[in-house]
Amino acid sequence: MRIGIDKMAFATTNDYLDLVELAKERGIDPNKFTIGIGQDLQAVVPPTQDIVTLGATAAKKLLTPELEKNISTVIVATESGIDNSKASAIYIKHLLGLSDFTRTVEMKEACYSATAAIQFAKGVVALNPQETVLVIAADIARYGLNTPGEVTQGAGAVAMLISQNPHILTLEDTTVAYSKDIMDFWRPLYATEALVDGKYSTNVYIEFFLQTFTRYQQLTGRELADFAALTFHMPFTKMGKKGLEGLLKDRNDEVAQRLRTQLTASQLFSRQVGNLYTGSLYLSLMSLLQNSDLRAGSRIGLFSYGSGAEGEFYTGILEDGYEHYMNNIQEELKHRHQVSVAEYEKLFSSQLGMNDRDIEFDVTNDPLLFVLKGQKDHQRIYEAK
């Protein structure tokens, strides 16, 4: 039985910040952002958006009445949870109008958990081939104003349908997961912004990639020439480059050149949106598929990483006609609204966060299909516009 990613969709906020403008405001050379980090634009989050609204918006792009009937499970992977008990998947299931006979769960392990969700979804489909699992990777990356991590913020959601006979990517059986108790990045319960040791985290990321890829080669006997492309988790696009170069080193043959070219294709959307945490790998996959000329039958490698730390390397085979089963991301990004640095700072500080008060947001200027209207009696209020 072939099982894999049947459809994919991406959603982000309507507002974005030009990082050249941010660099100027912060008194930093813009090249440190656009070249050193590899980021150009960054999604800005209004208080009317969170992981539930973004996740529901992405998922809505996938669904038809016929597909909805087959969804047995909704898994949301996030490190931006809105409740310590109630899963965000329940809110999203309700907003989408899915059957009450649906399993809903939320998963966490930094930026990695969407990959675990896909592997678990594959198991569900293997046991029940008639079922489809909706996997949503939704996150809001926050590090704080005027902090070193400010340039690696972002927001968005990638939604995927996992089923038999997939239209995009058939997942191969061999996967390699690798985990260690490492403090390179964490977010205590009392904090809305993450704590991170940036240089250490980068080194751990590269180590985990090399460990998992080497183990994969030992198990399969495959070489780099067997891959049409490698995709990476990209909290910032330079991170993916560091991972690939850690493997290629001085190699500059046809295979190495091809992998570098495809890496560039996979970076394009992340450069315009920023860090998606759990969704970053899957946005890079969509970017690769929409900005390259890969053919059906191509093998793609995927490296997933989550600080703390866990990594996984696995592979998939591209299906014929894959390009027809994703939303056109570049076209949608063209219609966003640019905000000034001052507007970005105001929106950043207007989030609901850990506020326990009743509050009502003005949703009239938010064009997304789903919005967070506010909070009353400690309950978040969502609306489908």
Side-chain angles (χ1 to χ4, degrees):
M1 184 194 310
R2 294 186 301 107
I3 301 174
I5 302 175
D6 185 57
K7 296 179 72 176
M8 302 182 77
F10 169 70
T12 188
T13 63
N14 188 56
D15 298 323
Y16 74 90
L17 175 68
D18 188 323
L19 293 178
V20 171
E21 297 301 316
L22 179 65
K24 292 177 179 177
E25 181 69 24
R26 300 292 187 249
I28 297 172
D29 179 357
N31 288 335
K32 290 186 177 181
F33 289 176
T34 59
I35 298 175
I37 299 295
Q39 297 299 128
D40 296 322
L41 308 176
Q42 183 178 105
V44 174
V45 186
T48 50
Q49 292 295 319
D50 65 7
I51 60 164
V52 168
T53 58
L54 291 170
T57 298
K60 188 67 175 179
K61 298 177 183 181
L62 299 175
L63 300 181
T64 65
E66 189 60 34
L67 286 173
E68 290 175 6
K69 296 177 183 178
N70 297 326
I71 293 176
S72 68
T73 304
V74 179
I75 307 175
V76 174
T78 186
E79 58 175 281
S80 310
I82 60 167
D83 190 285
N84 286 328
S85 178
K86 186 173 179 178
S88 52
I90 293 179
Y91 291 101
I92 292 176
K93 187 224 82 170
H94 174 71
L95 287 173
L96 295 175
L98 298 178
S99 167
D100 287 345
F101 293 100
T102 302
R103 180 186 299 111
T104 54
V105 68
E106 181 175 311
M107 297 181 63
K108 178 178 70 178
E109 185 359 67
C111 303
Y112 161 77
S113 60
T115 297
I118 288 173
Q119 300 297 346
F120 297 163
K122 182 180 177 183
V124 170
V125 177
L127 289 172
N128 304 282
Q130 76 282 2
E131 296 183 2
T132 296
V133 179
L134 172 59
V135 172
I136 301 171
D139 267 304
I140 296 173
R142 286 173 60 95
Y143 294 96
L145 303 176
N146 251 315
T147 63
E150 185 176 29
V151 67
T152 61
Q153 298 179 136
V158 176
M160 297 168 277
L161 294 179
I162 309 301
S163 71
Q164 67 170 329
N165 302 320
H167 287 101
I168 296 179
L169 196 71
T170 294
L171 302 180
E172 295 189 288
D173 290 337
T174 303
T175 71
V176 178
Y178 186 78
S179 61
K180 286 186 175 182
D181 185 2
I182 290 174
M183 298 301 289
D184 61 328
F185 172 108
W186 66 104
R187 190 189 308 179
L189 290 176
Y190 53 78
T192 57
E193 283 79 47
L195 303 172
V196 60
D197 185 337
K199 290 184 179 180
Y200 179 45
S201 189
T202 298
N203 291 335
V204 174
Y205 171 102
I206 296 170
E207 176 199 346
F208 274 45
F209 170 56
L210 296 178
Q211 290 280 3
T212 55
F213 186 77
T214 299
R215 178 63 172 163
Y216 174 87
Q217 288 185 300
Q218 293 170 347
L219 293 173
T220 64
R222 293 185 180 125
E223 302 294 334
L224 276 176
D226 295 315
F227 293 89
L230 297 176
T231 55
F232 292 83
H233 164 58
M234 291 186 193
F236 53 93
T237 64
K238 195 68 172 288
M239 185 75 100
K241 178 177 174 60
K242 288 176 181 289
L244 181 61
E245 295 304 327
L247 178 66
L248 296 179
K249 301 187 185 304
D250 296 328
R251 185 169 171 173
N252 199 33
D253 57 11
E254 184 275 334
V255 171
Q257 291 177 18
R258 181 183 74 242
L259 294 176
R260 290 187 177 106
T261 297
Q262 301 294 17
L263 176 70
T264 299
S266 73
Q267 294 172 320
L268 295 178
F269 293 157
S270 294
R271 291 189 71 98
Q272 300 176 61
V273 176
N275 192 354
L276 301 190
Y277 286 156
T278 54
S280 292
L281 169 60
Y282 299 99
L283 180 60
S284 72
L285 175 61
M286 294 184 75
S287 184
L288 171 70
L289 299 183
Q290 295 188 19
N291 293 290
S292 66
D293 56 356
L294 292 176
R295 298 179 180 179
S298 297
R299 175 175 288 109
I300 299 174
L302 300 95
F303 173 62
S304 180
Y305 176 78
S307 294
E310 186 157 3
E312 185 164 343
F313 183 83
Y314 70 110
T315 59
I317 302 297
L318 204 55
E319 294 294 328
D320 186 38
Y322 65 87
E323 64 274 14
H324 302 300
Y325 295 88
M326 298 175 284
N327 64 309
N328 187 328
I329 295 177
Q330 188 58 60
E331 184 61 31
E332 292 183 8
L333 292 178
K334 290 179 182 177
H335 300 289
R336 292 183 297 169
H337 168 252
Q338 182 177 347
V339 298
S340 67
V341 174
E343 290 172 317
Y344 144 71
E345 293 178 339
K346 181 178 179 180
L347 290 170
F348 185 93
S349 301
S350 300
Q351 302 297 304
L352 182 58
M354 294 185 177
N355 196 328
D356 63 356
R357 295 182 291 107
D358 289 352
I359 187 169
E360 183 174 354
F361 296 128
D362 181 359
V363 300
T364 55
N365 294 322
D366 192 325
L368 268 65
L369 181 58
F370 300 102
V371 292
L372 172 62
K373 292 189 66 176
Q375 179 173 269
K376 184 175 178 60
D377 297 330
H378 307 285
Q379 301 175 40
R380 291 191 177 214
I381 304 170
Y382 294 99
E383 179 180 88
K385 295 183 70 176

